Amino acid sequence: MDLKEFDRSAQELRLLNLLVWKDGKEILRRDYDGEIRRNQYSASKSFTSAAVGIAQREGLLSLEEKLVDVFAEEIPGEPDEFLQEARVRDLLTMALGQKSPALMGEQRPFLKERDWVKYSLAQPFIRKPGSEFQYNNVGPYLAGILVQRRAGCDLVSYLTPRLFEPLGIVRPTWEADPLGYTFGAGGLFLCVSELACFGQLLLQRGNWNGRQLLPEEYVSEATRKQVDNGGEGYGYLFWRGARNSFRADGKYGQFAVVFPDDNAVIATNAECREQGKLLDFLMEIQPELLACR
């Protein structure tokens, strides 16, 4: 591969850090800026999904529980018909059925409501849960809230002994809501090496150094297509992609792309305002990236 040409294109797309792992070994690293912890934006959602999988294994929750039972104190007095049907599983698939997205990045700083759980559940449900893909921060936020309530601690404290520490990730920073709950839909700060470790864990179906950190069956379910999104599909807070790939995907190009067929992971941190172009570039050049030695 012509690394000079690659570097030129990568920097035009505002790629900051790139790591490529194949067969469990680093085969390429490109740093166009220092490797520091950066906001992973919506790639954080995939860590919330991992927390849900662990909590399910520990018997703290079930994907089949209804939201009207899980959040009984915050449910509106006369809940919509579709809200009554919604289950925990629907929090993970971007097919919750609400009228419009809520708790998005441009909305959160200006919300007057402090109780975001009550606010989220008060948003109109106009479609049958699971019937239509619509990107929305409410689902992953509420999924994270459920884990925190059942575990009795914030997501960082919950995941530190179960996920972060085994991966060598020293306790990270994660955005919180006005009441102090971890915001499971975004705001987790990691460096690209830490994101790559997460991708490698997923590639290994949740196993890390002989320890099953994530349930293997949950990883399989979370990373396969659960709902049609007009593209390759969406799982449990994971995107499906070309070449049988799946990924954690954050705004501006925070990616952990897993290629099971190639036993490989590509992780990036970026400041790309056209992140779709960055992803297309990485997918187009993927064969050359995986051939590096």
Side-chain angles (χ1 to χ4, degrees):
M1 186 174 68
D2 184 344
L3 285 177
K4 184 177 292 187
E5 178 61 23
F6 175 83
D7 289 342
R8 184 191 64 78
S9 298
Q11 290 179 86
E12 284 181 356
L13 289 165
R14 295 292 295 143
L15 181 62
L16 300 178
N17 308 100
L18 168 80
L19 268 177
V20 181
W21 288 7
K22 183 171 174 58
D23 301 328
K25 298 179 181 179
E26 179 184 309
I27 61 170
L28 181 66
R29 170 187 281 271
R30 308 303 282 175
D31 291 310
Y32 309 106
D33 194 28
E35 184 181 1
I36 62 173
R37 279 187 168 171
R38 304 178 190 276
N39 191 345
Q40 299 303 305
Y41 296 97
S42 287
S44 312
K45 292 176 172 66
S46 298
F47 288 83
T48 297
S49 179
V52 170
I54 296 170
Q56 180 180 237
R57 178 177 63 188
E58 294 180 346
L60 298 179
L61 57 82
S62 166
L63 299 190
E64 302 309 318
E65 291 183 82
K66 289 190 173 182
L67 300 193
V68 291
D69 298 324
V70 169
F71 299 108
E73 295 184 4
E74 290 90 1
I75 294 293
E78 297 183 2
D80 300 329
E81 173 190 355
F82 294 131
L83 171 53
Q84 295 182 54
E85 295 181 19
R87 299 177 184 271
V88 172
R89 184 184 307 276
D90 299 311
L91 300 177
L92 305 174
T93 61
M94 293 298 168
L96 190 54
Q98 291 188 314
K99 182 178 181 180
S100 57
L103 300 182
M104 308 308 284
E106 298 82 0
Q107 300 168 345
R108 296 197 298 278
F110 306 103
L111 282 178
K112 295 180 180 179
E113 296 84 353
R114 290 177 55 81
D115 188 335
W116 288 2
V117 175
K118 185 174 292 186
Y119 169 78
S120 296
L121 293 166
Q123 304 307 303
F125 284 70
I126 64 168
R127 291 179 292 275
K128 185 177 180 63
S131 64
E132 183 177 325
F133 181 89
Q134 180 191 60
Y135 201 77
N136 185 354
N137 277 348
V138 165
Y141 168 69
L142 290 177
I145 291 291
L146 177 57
V147 173
Q148 291 171 83
R149 289 184 174 181
R150 297 285 173 85
C153 62
D154 62 78
L155 278 184
V156 175
S157 296
Y158 183 69
L159 287 176
T160 290
R162 296 168 173 83
L163 181 70
F164 293 142
E165 283 186 350
L167 295 182
I169 300 174
V170 178
R171 185 181 177 92
T173 299
W174 201 332
E175 180 182 344
D177 74 7
L179 299 183
Y181 288 107
T182 305
F183 184 68
L188 174 62
F189 281 71
L190 297 172
C191 63
V192 73
S193 296
E194 294 168 330
L195 190 59
C197 285
F198 183 58
Q200 184 66 28
L201 172 70
L202 296 165
L203 177 62
Q204 296 168 182
R205 295 187 174 275
N207 190 281
W208 191 262
N209 292 333
R211 180 180 172 188
Q212 198 69 38
L213 302 183
L214 305 179
E216 182 174 355
E217 183 177 352
Y218 182 82
V219 173
S220 296
E221 287 296 297
T223 59
R224 74 174 180 85
K225 179 179 177 179
Q226 294 287 344
V227 63
D228 184 13
N229 64 350
E232 301 289 337
Y234 196 80
Y236 293 157
L237 305 179
F238 287 94
W239 294 84
R240 294 289 307 175
R243 299 191 174 95
N244 191 36
S245 66
F246 61 86
R247 68 186 184 277
D249 184 314
K251 192 175 183 179
Y252 306 133
Q254 324 316 316
F255 299 134
V257 191
V258 180
F259 300 91
D261 295 346
D262 299 294
N263 200 31
V265 174
I266 297 176
T268 65
N269 277 174
E271 292 177 347
C272 182
R273 265 36 185 185
E274 297 179 281
Q275 67 192 60
K277 288 186 177 180
L278 175 59
L279 183 62
D280 289 344
F281 168 68
L282 293 172
M283 297 299 285
E284 180 181 346
I285 203 169
Q286 181 249 20
E288 288 92 334
L289 289 175
L290 300 190
C292 291
R293 283 292 185 270

